[in-house]
Amino acid sequence: MCYYLGYDVKKIKHVRIREQQIEYGKKVPLRALHSGFEYELVEIIRAEANNQPECAAAHWEFIPFWIKNAEELMESRKKGIPTLNATAEKLLTSKLFKHAAMHRRCILPVSWFFEWQHITIEGEKKTEKIPYCITAEQDDYLLFAGIWQPWTDQQTGETIDTFAIVTTEANEWMAQIHNSKKRMPLILSQSMADDWISPELKETDIRSILSTPCNDIPLKAWTIHKNFRTHTHPTEPEHYSNVTALKKFA
């Protein structure tokens, strides 16, 4: 799953898509920590009608068309729909996601994201949740696959763009961290990202990207404060004596 992410605002100024340097962070102010549970705007990259990449502000929460207004939206959240994430394995079979997966794909650049590792406390019948910050080992940002769609509040007439991050089965390295549900964002290579937002991408190619393990993009991670969500510096390292070192990224 991926519900928390953030940006190194000093480093992310442009994002490279299709050999172009796209100015990033102008549509939505970048912060060190964004929470999906705040249902806020995040800046995505998608293709315009002329197939050129563009940045757009999008509401982080994929809202289906059958939700008619804000009141229904609040009630639906209690049932788990809308959703912040979209499962890659079901993307092309789900009533909720398929049309967007076929026609409205996007990219979300991020500096880092956050997940929890469940550690069994020795001698006790309980586990402890240890938060990690995960980022690219070599680059300034990661490129997440996403899907988007417009949603209109039929009571007010307001239309917003909404999106979800595509998640997939955790690779062997990431499964050490997110060892409960063993999921991770679908992280795209540069060439995969270029293809992902192409309107001409065929279903077979979409399936190929969705089933490609995230093994070619080196990642690094470190433990952080348990209260990172309210910490002034959410990525600041914190040592835990009962946490073993991660195996090297393969």
Side-chain angles (χ1 to χ4, degrees), residues 97-115:
F97 300 131
K98 183 175 180 179
H99 194 264
M102 290 297 299
H103 304 287
R104 292 185 301 275
R105 297 175 300 278
C106 62
I107 298 165
L108 179 66
V110 304
S111 295
W112 44 66
F113 65 103
F114 305 87
E115 284 295 359

Side-chain angles (χ1 to χ4, degrees), residues 184-210:
M184 68 183 293
L186 178 56
I187 302 173
L188 303 173
S189 67
Q190 187 67 62
S191 61
M192 290 167 63
D194 293 346
D195 291 338
W196 182 251
I197 61 171
S198 171
E200 290 82 25
L201 199 64
K202 297 179 180 179
E203 183 171 344
T204 54
D205 298 318
I206 296 172
R207 289 186 184 278
S208 177
I209 292 175
L210 291 174

Side-chain angles (χ1 to χ4, degrees), residues 23-225:
E23 192 173 19
Y24 188 75
K26 295 296 184 181
K27 300 286 185 179
V28 181
L30 303 181
R31 301 202 309 268
L33 177 65
H34 288 267
S35 167
F37 298 109
E38 293 178 8
Y39 306 108
E40 57 188 359
L41 293 177
V42 182
E43 191 164 326
I44 62 173
I45 299 176
R46 60 192 182 187
E48 295 178 314
N50 62 1
N51 203 10
Q52 293 300 307
E54 67 163 4
C55 293
H59 173 90
W60 186 3
E61 179 186 35
F62 193 85
I63 307 177
F65 66 88
W66 61 78
I67 294 178
K68 305 301 184 184
N69 53 51
E71 183 179 353
E72 287 190 13
L73 176 59
M74 294 295 290
E75 286 301 313
S76 295
R77 284 175 181 167
K78 300 175 184 177
K79 303 174 185 177
I81 297 176
T83 179
L84 301 172
N85 296 158
T87 304
E89 296 89 332
K90 300 177 181 179
L91 209 63
L92 292 172
T93 59
S94 165
K95 175 183 176 182
L96 178 59
F97 300 131
K98 183 175 180 179
H99 194 264
M102 290 297 299
H103 304 287
R104 292 185 301 275
R105 297 175 300 278
C106 62
I107 298 165
L108 179 66
V110 304
S111 295
W112 44 66
F113 65 103
F114 305 87
E115 284 295 359
W116 281 263
Q117 183 183 56
H118 287 67
I119 302 295
T120 301
I121 300 176
E122 189 175 352
E124 300 183 34
K125 295 181 179 180
K126 63 179 181 179
T127 59
E128 183 177 6
K129 290 174 63 177
I130 306 296
Y132 280 76
C133 178
I134 304 102
T135 186
E137 186 173 58
Q138 300 170 355
D139 299 316
D140 290 336
Y141 55 81
L142 298 165
L143 299 173
F144 289 177
I147 55 174
W148 71 276
Q149 72 175 9
W151 176 76
T152 300
D153 185 324
Q154 296 185 16
Q155 186 170 327
T156 65
E158 179 188 11
T159 296
I160 59 174
D161 289 335
T162 75
F163 86 100
I165 295 170
V166 178
T167 66
T168 187
E169 182 179 356
N171 60 25
E172 183 179 358
W173 184 86
M174 188 65 204
Q176 297 176 78
I177 298 173
H178 199 200
N179 59 351
S180 56
K181 296 184 178 180
K182 297 187 178 181
R183 303 289 297 176
M184 68 183 293
L186 178 56
I187 302 173
L188 303 173
S189 67
Q190 187 67 62
S191 61
M192 290 167 63
D194 293 346
D195 291 338
W196 182 251
I197 61 171
S198 171
E200 290 82 25
L201 199 64
K202 297 179 180 179
E203 183 171 344
T204 54
D205 298 318
I206 296 172
R207 289 186 184 278
S208 177
I209 292 175
L210 291 174
S211 61
T212 301
C214 305
N215 291 330
D216 297 330
I217 303 166
L219 303 173
K220 61 181 178 181
W222 58 91
T223 53
I224 55 177
H225 293 265

